[in-house]
Amino acid sequence: MKPIEIKKNIYWVGALDWKLRDFHGYALNKGTTYNAFLVMDEKIALFDTVKVGFKGDLLHNLHQIVDPTKIDYLIVNHVEMDHSGSLPAMVELIKPEKIFCSAMGKKAIIEHFHCEDWPLVVVNSGDSISLGAKTVHFLETRMLHWPDSMFSYIAEDKLLISSDAFGQHWCTSERFDDEVNEAELMAHAEKYYANILLPFSPLVQKLLAKVAEMGIEIDTIAPDHGLIWRKNVAGILASYDRWSRQETKDKAVIVYDTMWESTEKMAKAICRTLMQEGISVKMMNMHVDHRSDVATEILDAKAILLGSPTLNNGILPRMADIISYLKGLKPRGRVGAAFGSYGWSGEAVGILTKALEEMKVELVGEGVKIKNVPTHESLKACVELGELIAKAIKSQE
Ligand code: FEO
């Protein structure tokens, strides 16, 4: 297969990773891609590389277009190893005239590869370089999602090479958004945002405002993972705006684990009540659901409920896992509560409540504890909690 020409004289030369299933805690059910782009001009430029084990794929693609030793410039939009892992080998082979990166990128490259002798050239937001017929403009996007991250914009082609932003972890033989099922594509983009970019939402808002202020025309967005946007550029930009505003709907996610099904009975009672109140509900049992799917469901949910029985004066370990993960992702503007059964000491609800407070979730009610196995009578406390949560969700419309 020849490398795909995404714009005249600009080629996708990346690699397909059909097998990857775990991206530091984020479950990928359909692999991912490491996108790299080659611009053929008076100066030949390679934008990003690929994960270290995929260097052969990158070289195979490059060789079909040009002898890689003819490449003049490397442009490092992002230093994370899935894009820079092959950088040392490529520098060794190509011996580039210049390697362009942000100031933070230079620091990160040196700290990763201990390469003070590489021809690193720092570019800042607003800087541009001419490749001949094409001009590359740089825009630093610090903390989206690493300090070094930046975008490259090729004005003549209205092409934004966007590093991790707007990506999806989805490996396909297709390269463009209009070649795949739109609903599946958006689901992958949403999961990617929820699990990678959510903590940086205020910066995404600033970036979108900055891009609008710059008035640049974008008809194609080429991220470093997944499909290239050329049909639905407006759609993905609007989705990023909505997700980064943390816009939610009348929806609750009940995240729980259970030992002998008593906490599950409580979760079901809360779920039934919310449904009766017209609230959309997702029950996520941490024994079967993955933390990254929980994060995705929480992206548009107004309420988060956490449930666990007490085990050894604490909570069940899978609940500790999801709490740690969600704290890092920083969902904001949610309401919530904790619940759980217990045998004698009953610390779990207090621990879950504290976790919600640390996540800046607005607490609703007191949290519900039930000793040992719930009865129809004792479950009324869960019904009341469900009603309170429904009221809190509706009051924030
Ligand atoms: Fe795809 Fe932040 O690396």
Side-chain angles (χ1 to χ4, degrees):
M1 184 183 100
K2 282 203 71 168
I4 304 290
E5 189 174 33
I6 66 165
K7 288 275 185 180
K8 188 161 174 53
N9 295 326
I10 303 179
Y11 298 85
W12 177 90
V13 289
L16 306 180
D17 187 347
W18 298 95
K19 285 193 305 190
L20 193 71
R21 290 292 179 272
D22 179 84
F23 201 94
H24 33 249
Y26 169 170
L28 319 181
N29 57 351
K30 294 188 176 175
T32 191
T33 72
Y34 312 111
N35 298 340
F37 303 97
L38 183 75
V39 177
M40 296 296 293
D41 206 336
E42 288 168 31
K43 291 289 187 185
I44 302 174
L46 176 63
F47 291 72
D48 289 320
T49 66
V50 296
K51 196 171 166 180
V52 68
F54 294 81
K55 182 188 69 181
D57 302 71
L58 173 63
L59 282 172
H60 172 79
N61 287 332
L62 290 173
H63 271 294
Q64 293 183 72
I65 304 165
V66 67
D67 174 352
T69 63
K70 305 280 188 230
I71 294 172
D72 301 286
Y73 296 159
L74 295 181
I75 290 154
V76 180
N77 279 327
H78 182 26
V79 185
E80 193 166 5
M81 296 286 221
D82 47 339
H83 310 292
S84 70
S86 297
L87 189 59
M90 298 308 290
V91 172
E92 175 74 23
L93 172 71
I94 293 169
K95 299 189 174 41
E97 184 185 325
K98 291 176 182 171
I99 303 172
F100 295 98
C101 56
S102 65
M104 297 303 281
K106 180 176 177 178
K107 283 176 76 169
I109 289 170
I110 291 170
E111 286 163 5
H112 277 71
F113 305 114
H114 315 291
C115 54
E116 280 82 356
D117 58 334
W118 286 8
L120 298 169
V121 177
V122 168
V123 287
N124 301 299
S125 283
D127 290 350
S128 58
I129 57 168
S130 174
L131 301 177
K134 298 178 191 293
T135 316
V136 185
H137 303 266
F138 298 103
L139 175 62
E140 289 172 89
T141 57
R142 279 193 193 188
M143 295 318 300
L144 286 176
H145 69 128
W146 272 24
D148 58 275
S149 301
M150 70 174 187
F151 288 176
S152 299
Y153 174 67
I154 302 181
E156 294 78 4
D157 296 289
K158 301 177 186 171
L159 170 67
L160 183 70
I161 299 175
S162 63
S163 187
D164 277 334
F166 309 112
Q168 330 90 47
H169 284 312
W170 186 20
C171 188
T172 58
S173 54
E174 294 75 17
R175 295 276 60 78
F176 294 101
D177 60 342
D178 50 276
E179 298 172 330
V180 296
N181 178 281
E182 186 177 344
E184 188 171 7
L185 173 63
M186 291 312 295
H188 284 289
E190 184 176 21
K191 183 173 182 178
Y192 184 99
Y193 188 92
N195 283 276
I196 296 178
L197 290 162
L198 185 64
F200 311 108
S201 289
L203 295 173
V204 174
Q205 277 289 299
K206 281 188 185 161
L207 177 69
L208 292 173
K210 173 86 180 159
V211 169
E213 178 195 313
M214 288 163 70
I216 57 174
E217 277 187 84
I218 301 169
D219 77 6
T220 304
I221 298 177
D224 273 359
H225 295 289
L227 283 300
I228 295 165
W229 304 91
R230 68 177 176 189
K231 178 184 170 212
N232 201 14
V233 169
I236 189 63
L237 288 172
S239 295
Y240 264 56
D241 183 36
R242 193 173 66 253
W243 296 332
S244 59
R245 278 190 279 110
Q246 300 224 27
E247 200 174 285
T248 56
K249 53 191 185 189
D250 288 1
K251 173 180 169 183
V253 181
I254 302 175
V255 186
Y256 73 99
D257 202 353
T258 193
M259 201 185 305
W260 296 111
E261 279 70 54
S262 289
T263 298
E264 185 160 71
K265 285 188 174 79
M266 298 174 74
K268 284 181 174 176
I270 297 167
C271 178
R272 279 194 300 271
T273 309
L274 286 166
M275 288 165 62
Q276 278 164 11
E277 295 287 337
I279 304 296
S280 172
V281 190
K282 290 283 178 185
M283 289 270 279
M284 310 291 289
N285 180 319
M286 295 317 300
H287 208 80
V288 295
D289 288 306
H290 195 274
R291 68 176 83 80
S292 47
D293 294 320
V294 173
T296 309
E297 289 296 346
I298 282 176
L299 184 62
D300 64 357
K302 186 72 201 174
I304 303 170
L305 291 109
L306 300 179
S308 175
T310 296
L311 174 72
N312 298 332
N313 309 107
I315 56 177
L316 285 179
R318 290 185 187 87
M319 289 306 295
D321 176 313
I322 187 63
I323 286 169
S324 170
Y325 194 68
L326 290 179
K327 273 186 191 170
L329 291 176
K330 298 186 173 66
R332 290 291 180 263
R334 270 64 172 186
V335 299
F339 63 94
S341 67
Y342 68 104
W344 50 98
S345 58
E347 290 91 344
V349 169
I351 294 168
L352 297 176
T353 301
K354 187 162 177 281
L356 288 165
E357 284 175 327
E358 286 168 1
M359 288 163 58
K360 304 194 190 308
V361 169
E362 184 186 324
L363 293 174
V364 175
E366 293 289 312
V368 179
K369 289 162 76 165
I370 294 181
K371 196 162 191 296
N372 286 314
V373 178
T375 61
H376 182 69
E377 205 51 38
S378 62
L379 282 176
K380 282 183 180 161
C382 294
V383 172
E384 282 165 18
L385 180 62
E387 288 168 351
L388 282 175
I389 291 281
K391 196 171 158 197
I393 290 173
K394 290 174 184 171
S395 73
Q396 303 206 6
E397 280 172 354

mmCIF file of all heavy atoms in Angstrom, residues 241-249 299-301 334:
data_model
loop_
_atom_site.group_PDB
_atom_site.id
_atom_site.type_symbol
_atom_site.label_atom_id
_atom_site.label_comp_id
_atom_site.label_asym_id
_atom_site.label_seq_id
_atom_site.Cartn_x
_atom_site.Cartn_y
_atom_site.Cartn_z
ATOM 1 N N ASP A 241 -15.552 22.004 21.992
ATOM 2 C CA ASP A 241 -16.082 23.151 22.728
ATOM 3 C C ASP A 241 -17.056 22.663 23.807
ATOM 4 O O ASP A 241 -16.969 23.045 24.968
ATOM 5 C CB ASP A 241 -16.771 24.104 21.742
ATOM 6 C CG ASP A 241 -17.286 25.346 22.437
ATOM 7 O OD1 ASP A 241 -16.612 25.819 23.373
ATOM 8 O OD2 ASP A 241 -18.373 25.833 22.074
ATOM 9 N N ARG A 242 -17.952 21.766 23.416
ATOM 10 C CA ARG A 242 -18.964 21.260 24.362
ATOM 11 C C ARG A 242 -18.300 20.455 25.484
ATOM 12 O O ARG A 242 -18.580 20.661 26.660
ATOM 13 C CB ARG A 242 -19.966 20.395 23.587
ATOM 14 C CG ARG A 242 -21.229 20.066 24.344
ATOM 15 C CD ARG A 242 -22.243 19.354 23.480
ATOM 16 N NE ARG A 242 -21.824 18.024 23.059
ATOM 17 C CZ ARG A 242 -21.436 17.702 21.840
ATOM 18 N NH1 ARG A 242 -21.410 18.613 20.895
ATOM 19 N NH2 ARG A 242 -21.079 16.461 21.532
ATOM 20 N N TRP A 243 -17.397 19.555 25.119
ATOM 21 C CA TRP A 243 -16.755 18.713 26.140
ATOM 22 C C TRP A 243 -15.906 19.562 27.092
ATOM 23 O O TRP A 243 -15.864 19.311 28.288
ATOM 24 C CB TRP A 243 -15.881 17.644 25.473
ATOM 25 C CG TRP A 243 -16.658 16.658 24.641
ATOM 26 C CD1 TRP A 243 -17.961 16.276 24.829
ATOM 27 C CD2 TRP A 243 -16.203 15.941 23.481
ATOM 28 N NE1 TRP A 243 -18.332 15.363 23.853
ATOM 29 C CE2 TRP A 243 -17.276 15.144 23.030
ATOM 30 C CE3 TRP A 243 -14.993 15.881 22.779
ATOM 31 C CZ2 TRP A 243 -17.166 14.298 21.912
ATOM 32 C CZ3 TRP A 243 -14.887 15.051 21.681
ATOM 33 C CH2 TRP A 243 -15.960 14.269 21.245
ATOM 34 N N SER A 244 -15.215 20.554 26.559
ATOM 35 C CA SER A 244 -14.327 21.339 27.419
ATOM 36 C C SER A 244 -15.108 22.326 28.286
ATOM 37 O O SER A 244 -14.606 22.785 29.304
ATOM 38 C CB SER A 244 -13.263 22.065 26.584
ATOM 39 O OG SER A 244 -13.860 22.930 25.648
ATOM 40 N N ARG A 245 -16.342 22.640 27.890
ATOM 41 C CA ARG A 245 -17.196 23.421 28.795
ATOM 42 C C ARG A 245 -17.806 22.525 29.867
ATOM 43 O O ARG A 245 -18.532 22.984 30.736
ATOM 44 C CB ARG A 245 -18.300 24.134 28.006
ATOM 45 C CG ARG A 245 -17.802 25.438 27.378
ATOM 46 C CD ARG A 245 -18.925 26.278 26.793
ATOM 47 N NE ARG A 245 -19.319 25.817 25.475
ATOM 48 C CZ ARG A 245 -20.468 25.220 25.185
ATOM 49 N NH1 ARG A 245 -21.364 25.012 26.134
ATOM 50 N NH2 ARG A 245 -20.729 24.822 23.969
ATOM 51 N N GLN A 246 -17.557 21.228 29.771
ATOM 52 C CA GLN A 246 -18.083 20.226 30.701
ATOM 53 C C GLN A 246 -19.610 20.327 30.769
ATOM 54 O O GLN A 246 -20.203 20.320 31.857
ATOM 55 C CB GLN A 246 -17.432 20.329 32.070
ATOM 56 C CG GLN A 246 -15.930 20.124 32.014
ATOM 57 C CD GLN A 246 -15.407 19.216 33.121
ATOM 58 O OE1 GLN A 246 -16.112 18.358 33.638
ATOM 59 N NE2 GLN A 246 -14.143 19.382 33.472
ATOM 60 N N GLU A 247 -20.199 20.441 29.581
ATOM 61 C CA GLU A 247 -21.652 20.511 29.483
ATOM 62 C C GLU A 247 -22.230 19.130 29.815
ATOM 63 O O GLU A 247 -21.775 18.135 29.253
ATOM 64 C CB GLU A 247 -21.992 20.890 28.036
ATOM 65 C CG GLU A 247 -23.348 21.468 27.834
ATOM 66 C CD GLU A 247 -23.493 21.935 26.381
ATOM 67 O OE1 GLU A 247 -22.927 22.974 26.047
ATOM 68 O OE2 GLU A 247 -24.155 21.240 25.592
ATOM 69 N N THR A 248 -23.194 19.095 30.726
ATOM 70 C CA THR A 248 -23.762 17.798 31.122
ATOM 71 C C THR A 248 -25.256 17.770 30.837
ATOM 72 O O THR A 248 -25.866 18.787 30.522
ATOM 73 C CB THR A 248 -23.534 17.544 32.623
ATOM 74 O OG1 THR A 248 -24.078 18.637 33.365
ATOM 75 C CG2 THR A 248 -22.052 17.397 32.935
ATOM 76 N N LYS A 249 -25.830 16.558 30.973
ATOM 77 C CA LYS A 249 -27.272 16.437 30.785
ATOM 78 C C LYS A 249 -27.899 15.725 31.987
ATOM 79 O O LYS A 249 -27.182 15.379 32.937
ATOM 80 C CB LYS A 249 -27.565 15.723 29.478
ATOM 81 C CG LYS A 249 -26.894 14.397 29.287
ATOM 82 C CD LYS A 249 -27.083 13.949 27.831
ATOM 83 C CE LYS A 249 -26.527 12.568 27.627
ATOM 84 N NZ LYS A 249 -26.487 12.159 26.231
ATOM 85 N N LEU A 299 -18.422 11.937 31.268
ATOM 86 C CA LEU A 299 -18.181 13.167 30.502
ATOM 87 C C LEU A 299 -19.447 14.030 30.371
ATOM 88 O O LEU A 299 -19.375 15.252 30.480
ATOM 89 C CB LEU A 299 -17.622 12.822 29.111
ATOM 90 C CG LEU A 299 -17.233 14.003 28.231
ATOM 91 C CD1 LEU A 299 -16.109 14.815 28.865
ATOM 92 C CD2 LEU A 299 -16.806 13.538 26.843
ATOM 93 N N ASP A 300 -20.605 13.407 30.136
ATOM 94 C CA ASP A 300 -21.824 14.218 29.970
ATOM 95 C C ASP A 300 -22.850 13.973 31.075
ATOM 96 O O ASP A 300 -24.020 14.279 30.918
ATOM 97 C CB ASP A 300 -22.452 13.973 28.584
ATOM 98 C CG ASP A 300 -22.936 12.547 28.406
ATOM 99 O OD1 ASP A 300 -22.738 11.723 29.313
ATOM 100 O OD2 ASP A 300 -23.532 12.255 27.343
ATOM 101 N N ALA A 301 -22.403 13.416 32.214
ATOM 102 C CA ALA A 301 -23.341 13.112 33.305
ATOM 103 C C ALA A 301 -23.295 14.199 34.377
ATOM 104 O O ALA A 301 -22.222 14.658 34.758
ATOM 105 C CB ALA A 301 -22.993 11.766 33.926
ATOM 106 N N ARG A 334 -20.266 18.699 38.979
ATOM 107 C CA ARG A 334 -21.159 17.559 39.175
ATOM 108 C C ARG A 334 -21.769 17.579 40.576
ATOM 109 O O ARG A 334 -21.217 18.189 41.496
ATOM 110 C CB ARG A 334 -20.396 16.234 39.018
ATOM 111 C CG ARG A 334 -20.362 15.667 37.601
ATOM 112 C CD ARG A 334 -19.653 16.521 36.633
ATOM 113 N NE ARG A 334 -19.473 15.876 35.330
ATOM 114 C CZ ARG A 334 -18.781 16.394 34.342
ATOM 115 N NH1 ARG A 334 -18.224 17.580 34.467
ATOM 116 N NH2 ARG A 334 -18.663 15.761 33.202
#
